[in-house]
Amino acid sequence: MSSMRNAVQRRNHKERAQPAQREKWGILEKHKDYSLRAKDYNEKKKRLKILRGKAAERNPDEFSYGMLSSKTNRYGRKIQDRGNPTLSHDAVKLLKTQDAGYLKTLIQQTRRKRQRMEQEYLLSHDKNVPLFEEVRDNQHVKFVASGEEQHLVDDAQSKQDTSSSTEQSTLQWLAPCSNANNQPESLHIERKDPRQLARQQEEGMLALKEEKAARKLRKRRGEIRQSRLSALRARERDLLAAEQQLGHQRARMGSSIGGVNQEGVKWKIRERKR
């Protein structure tokens, strides 16, 4: 009978998923997950109980000679030797020399990045003009590298647009007058189509929105560039401080300068009298 029962196709039981309104809490906890969590909680509970018992039964007069050589940090944790081999004085000096070279390389790279970023920021900070922006003059493309050139090009373009619009309006007003002098026709005012006016208004609103979005984007780019520049300055300052401290350590190891010993007594190298 058992073999026949195993031969019959059985239903595949699937695990229940987390409800849709509780998906933010992650995967639904199953019984095996709860068992692991409960086991970990009980083990920690037993460990805390043992520690509380040891703290309650502690003898304040207890002493052992190991307490004389052992040390603790400011958090009360015991400091033990990790078994690492101690390096010789010459090996430590060589490692510090390599560290100094590495720090110099990092300082040079950071300084170059900071100088390049400062130049870009100074050029683009003038009315938020981006570097190497394309300026189209009808069918010609002009490339400018600074904000002043950009302003000069914009002023010339605005003057040209103003003069062209003035000439066009003058021709429009003179056209009916010339017709009246040559041919006796009735003057009439040309009325624009309302749909055309609506289309022009819509284009104007769209242009304003695009200009506002571009202004916001330029402002955001300026803020990002400024934050990067401040981060580079802070990094360069930290690297210079580390290099100075490393140089001081190398000088102390070479006995070329004085210092302060473990007891807080200041000492210096005895120089030869001249």
Side-chain angles (χ1 to χ4, degrees):
M1 291 296 295
S2 62
S3 60
M4 292 297 295
R5 184 170 62 250
N6 294 333
V8 178
Q9 180 68 25
R10 297 179 182 180
R11 178 185 176 187
N12 295 326
H13 295 277
K14 299 180 180 180
E15 293 183 353
R16 186 165 64 91
Q18 183 76 282
Q21 62 271 17
R22 292 180 56 86
E23 287 183 353
K24 61 180 180 180
W25 304 114
I27 301 174
L28 183 65
E29 186 181 30
K30 305 301 187 299
H31 179 71
K32 56 182 180 180
D33 303 327
Y34 168 75
S35 300
L36 294 174
R37 186 164 57 87
K39 184 179 179 181
D40 181 64
Y41 172 75
N42 291 327
E43 288 180 357
K44 291 180 180 178
K45 190 176 180 181
K46 291 178 182 179
R47 199 178 307 157
L48 288 174
K49 185 178 180 181
I50 294 172
L51 291 176
R52 288 193 188 98
K54 287 184 177 181
E57 298 172 359
R58 185 178 64 88
N59 183 10
D61 298 330
E62 182 181 0
F63 173 77
S64 63
Y65 285 99
M67 295 179 181
L68 297 176
S69 59
S70 64
K71 296 181 181 180
T72 57
N73 57 10
R74 59 178 181 176
Y75 300 106
R77 299 170 184 169
K78 189 175 180 181
I79 301 175
Q80 294 181 350
D81 186 12
R82 298 182 178 180
N84 298 328
T86 56
L87 299 176
S88 62
H89 190 75
D90 297 335
V92 174
K93 289 177 65 176
L94 178 60
L95 290 176
K96 288 188 179 295
T97 304
Q98 295 177 356
D99 294 342
Y102 179 68
L103 283 176
K104 288 181 180 179
T105 304
L106 287 181
I107 289 172
Q108 292 177 0
Q109 293 178 358
T110 308
R111 184 179 291 114
R112 285 196 293 268
K113 290 182 181 179
R114 191 254 307 165
Q115 292 175 356
R116 184 170 64 252
M117 188 69 69
E118 283 181 351
Q119 293 177 359
E120 294 179 359
Y121 180 76
L122 291 176
L123 290 175
S124 63
H125 189 64
D126 189 8
K127 293 187 179 182
N128 297 325
V129 178
L131 290 175
F132 305 106
E133 183 179 359
E134 293 187 8
V135 180
R136 294 187 175 274
D137 185 9
N138 293 334
Q139 299 298 329
H140 301 282
V141 180
K142 298 180 180 180
F143 292 89
V144 297
S146 63
E148 297 180 357
E149 296 182 8
Q150 173 72 30
H151 301 329
L152 293 176
V153 173
D154 292 342
D155 295 341
Q157 184 67 24
S158 61
K159 290 180 180 179
Q160 185 177 0
D161 296 341
T162 306
S163 60
S164 62
S165 60
T166 305
E167 293 177 358
Q168 186 176 3
S169 59
T170 306
L171 290 175
Q172 290 179 357
W173 280 101
L174 290 177
C177 296
S178 61
N179 292 335
N181 294 330
N182 298 333
Q183 299 177 0
E185 295 180 357
S186 59
L187 296 176
H188 62 280
I189 300 175
E190 182 180 359
R191 297 182 179 179
K192 294 184 178 180
D193 190 4
R195 290 177 295 181
Q196 186 178 2
L197 292 174
R199 192 182 304 108
Q200 292 179 358
Q201 292 179 357
E202 185 177 357
E203 291 177 356
M205 293 295 293
L206 184 60
L208 288 176
K209 289 182 180 179
E210 292 179 354
E211 183 180 359
K212 186 177 180 180
R215 193 184 305 114
K216 188 176 181 180
L217 181 60
R218 286 195 298 268
K219 183 179 179 181
R220 177 59 181 167
R221 288 178 178 175
E223 293 176 355
I224 294 174
R225 190 179 287 110
Q226 188 175 5
S227 62
R228 290 179 179 175
L229 182 59
S230 60
L232 286 175
R233 288 174 178 171
R235 177 179 173 82
E236 184 180 4
R237 184 168 58 252
D238 295 341
L239 289 174
L240 288 173
E243 184 187 18
Q244 185 178 3
Q245 186 178 4
L246 184 61
H248 185 69
Q249 292 177 3
R250 293 175 61 193
R252 288 180 61 186
M253 292 185 66
S255 300
S256 59
I257 61 173
V260 182
N261 58 11
Q262 296 180 356
E263 286 76 15
V265 179
K266 295 182 179 180
W267 61 278
K268 64 178 181 179
I269 301 299
R270 181 175 297 177
E271 298 178 358
R272 182 180 177 181
K273 294 183 179 180
R274 297 180 180 178

